[in-house]
């Protein structure tokens, strides 16, 4: 039951994938250039990057269920604020509130499931939660395309209020009020700066930085450059999170069986290949080729993400699972923020003199190179750490 509630909570939060396909409509409504949409991402992701670690550490002290529920309640508030924002600045303020809420949910969900699962099934439990995230990322763009065409961009926020309240009611009814671990110990800096933790965090940082070239730039390529309507664009865009959804459980099972190293390397290499294929996309690229590239990049990230997170979770004690989960999301989301900043800047700097296609290609070449570097770093890691610790 716990893993279903945790998956429901991260599903609601991760429906933020609906926002990306609405970027062209938002930019037009507020009369801002495409690269300014990065702040819609940064205000949200940058906030929950730090709140995820703080929320997880707080959950270790006061109870995971309690902090998780507060995050869901605050999510509903953030959706209302963003959906009713009268100005671009107001929208960014609503995104900050959403970021605080998402940090509380993301920071506690991994601890909820690992504490409820035996050590030999941590990968599967985390894979279940990660699949919830991927499923939201998969369905979100498709739903958003229909909503934006029918009701405008504000609907991508309004429609999420009811699911958030439903998940909150479920959590309050089925999760215990939550008590902190009996032998609670704060995570120390010395525990964080251990080589296995830093290595896993670095890989997550790079992998997520690269993949967000898709989340930021692909909607503009699909809708504006290729002239696809929001529904078709959303259907293609959903292939990346669909790959993630399918790859996450597979990566978790492989990590439990053979260790983290193999699926981590394979996932990073596949992600890099997908990003490189996208760098070759132009105005006449066949849609099936785009579909393969988008799906492959997502599948690679899903295959990588769960074993890598499980490695971080397993490096900390039972009484520190909240902080460990928050730390895993911190490295992930810091990578997202860095990726958005870097690739938006590359795109903006090159679009003027070189044009859309050249700027798009250069941004994705950089993203693919980052993924390739991460794969090489994983390949060079100590071979002795091939199986997840108990």
């Amino acid at each position: 039951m716990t893993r279903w509630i945790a998956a429901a909570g991260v599903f609601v939060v991760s429906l933020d994938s609906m926002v990306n396909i609405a970027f062209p409509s938002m930019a037009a409504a507020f009369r801002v250039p495409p690269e300014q949409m990065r702040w819609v991402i940064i205000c949200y992701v940058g906030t929950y990057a730090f709140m995820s670690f703080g929320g997880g550490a707080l959950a270790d002290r006061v109870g995971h269920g309690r902090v998780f529920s507060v995050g869901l309640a605050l999510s509903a508030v953030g959706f209302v604020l963003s959906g009713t924002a009268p100005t671009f600045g107001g929208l960014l303020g609503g995104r900050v509130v959403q970021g605080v809420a998402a940090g509380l949910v993301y920071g506690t969900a991994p601890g909820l499931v690992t504490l409820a699962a035996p050590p030999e099934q941590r990968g599967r439990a985390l894979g279940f939660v990660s699949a919830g995230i991927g499923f939201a990322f998969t369905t979100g763009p498709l739903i958003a395309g229909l909503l934006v065409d029918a009701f405008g961009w504000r609907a991508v926020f309004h429609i999420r209020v009811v699911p958030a309240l439903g998940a909150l009611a479920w959590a309050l009814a089925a999760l215990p009020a939550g008590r902190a671990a009996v032998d609670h110990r704060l995570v120390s800096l010395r525990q964080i700066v251990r080589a296995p933790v830093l290595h896993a965090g670095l890989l997550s940082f790079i992998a997520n930085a690269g993949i967000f070239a898709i989340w930021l730039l692909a909607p503009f390529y699909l809708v504006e450059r290729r002239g696809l309507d929001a529904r078709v664009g959303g259907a293609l865009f959903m292939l990346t999170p669909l790959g993630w959804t399918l790859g996450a459980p597979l990566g978790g099972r492989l990590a439990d069986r053979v260790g983290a190293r193999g699926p981590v390397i394979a996932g990073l290499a596949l992600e890099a290949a997908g990003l490189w294929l996208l760098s070759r996309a132009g105005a006449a690229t066949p849609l099936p080729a785009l579909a393969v590239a988008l799906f492959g990049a997502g599948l690679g990230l899903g295959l990588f993400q769960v074993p890598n997170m499980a490695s971080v979770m397993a490096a900390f004690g039972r009484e520190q699972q909240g902080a460990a989960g928050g730390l895993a999301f911190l490295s992930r989301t810091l990578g997202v923020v860095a990726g958005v900043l870097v690739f938006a800047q590359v795109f903006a700097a090159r679009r003027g003199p070189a044009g859309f296609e050249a700027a798009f290609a250069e941004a994705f070449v950089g993203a693919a190179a980052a993924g390739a570097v991460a794969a090489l770093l994983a390949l060079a890691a100590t071979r002795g750490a091939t199986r997840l610790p108990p």
Side-chain angles (χ1 to χ4, degrees), residues 250-251 254-255 257-270 300 303-304 307-308 311 375 378-379 381-383 385-388:
L250 176 60
L254 288 173
R257 288 190 174 188
V258 303
R261 188 171 182 269
V264 161
I265 295 170
L268 290 170
L270 184 57
L303 193 61
F304 156 80
N308 192 70
S311 297
L379 187 63
T382 304
R383 288 184 177 270
T386 57
R387 190 172 294 276
L388 290 176

Side-chain angles (χ1 to χ4, degrees), residues 223-238:
V223 175
E224 294 190 352
R225 185 61 178 169
R226 296 301 298 266
L228 305 175
D229 63 33
R231 286 172 292 181
V232 176
L236 279 170
F237 189 70
M238 69 178 279

Side-chain angles (χ1 to χ4, degrees), residues 14-351:
S14 301
L15 278 174
D16 207 73
S17 60
M18 299 173 73
V19 174
N20 297 72
I21 204 66
F23 279 173
S25 179
M26 289 182 189
F30 291 116
R31 298 181 181 179
V32 296
E35 56 268 19
Q36 288 300 310
M37 288 296 102
R38 61 183 169 179
W39 295 110
V40 178
I41 297 176
I42 292 170
C43 286
Y44 172 65
V45 177
T47 302
Y48 86 65
F50 293 99
M51 281 302 301
S52 61
F53 180 68
L58 178 64
D60 286 334
R61 182 174 293 273
V62 304
H64 294 77
R66 183 176 292 121
V67 177
F68 182 81
S69 298
V70 170
L72 289 172
L74 193 57
S75 290
V77 175
F79 299 151
V80 172
L81 291 175
S82 296
T84 57
T87 64
F88 189 63
L91 173 62
L92 298 184
R95 296 291 283 169
V96 170
V97 175
Q98 284 182 250
V100 172
L104 297 180
V105 173
Y106 281 144
T108 52
L112 277 173
V113 298
T114 56
L115 288 172
E120 67 275 10
Q121 294 183 8
R122 282 175 177 163
R124 295 182 186 184
L126 290 169
F128 194 85
V129 172
S130 190
I133 297 174
F135 185 59
F137 279 13
T138 301
T139 56
L142 185 60
I143 297 171
L146 298 173
L147 289 173
V148 171
D149 281 347
F151 305 107
W153 66 266
R154 295 181 186 274
V156 302
F157 295 107
H158 292 152
I159 198 173
R160 298 163 64 194
V161 175
V162 172
L165 295 177
L168 172 62
W170 191 11
L172 291 175
L175 289 179
R179 65 179 187 277
V182 175
D183 298 319
H184 171 73
R185 292 185 295 115
L186 291 175
V187 171
S188 66
L189 180 61
R190 183 176 179 180
Q191 289 177 291
I192 294 174
V193 298
R194 289 174 293 167
V197 177
L198 291 178
H199 184 261
L202 178 61
L203 294 183
S204 182
F205 178 91
I206 297 174
N208 285 280
I211 204 71
F212 253 75
I214 293 178
W215 295 104
L216 178 66
L217 299 177
F220 289 98
Y221 168 78
L222 294 171
V223 175
E224 294 190 352
R225 185 61 178 169
R226 296 301 298 266
L228 305 175
D229 63 33
R231 286 172 292 181
V232 176
L236 279 170
F237 189 70
M238 69 178 279
L239 291 173
T240 296
L242 176 61
W244 179 356
T245 304
L246 298 177
L250 176 60
R253 288 181 177 272
L254 288 173
D256 286 337
R257 288 190 174 188
V258 303
R261 188 171 182 269
V264 161
I265 295 170
L268 290 170
L270 184 57
E271 179 192 349
L275 292 170
W276 184 82
L277 288 174
L278 285 171
S279 74
R280 317 304 296 170
T285 301
L287 294 185
L290 287 176
V292 169
L294 289 166
F295 180 81
L299 181 64
L301 183 67
L303 193 61
F304 156 80
Q305 199 87 271
V306 174
N308 192 70
M309 177 181 282
S311 297
V312 176
M313 302 292 290
F316 293 87
R318 181 176 177 83
E319 72 282 0
Q320 297 173 327
Q321 288 296 284
L327 182 64
F329 268 99
L330 174 61
S331 58
R332 174 190 294 190
T333 48
L334 286 178
V336 170
V337 173
V340 170
L341 285 171
V342 170
F343 298 123
Q345 189 60 41
V346 169
F347 178 76
R350 295 295 296 157
R351 185 180 54 152

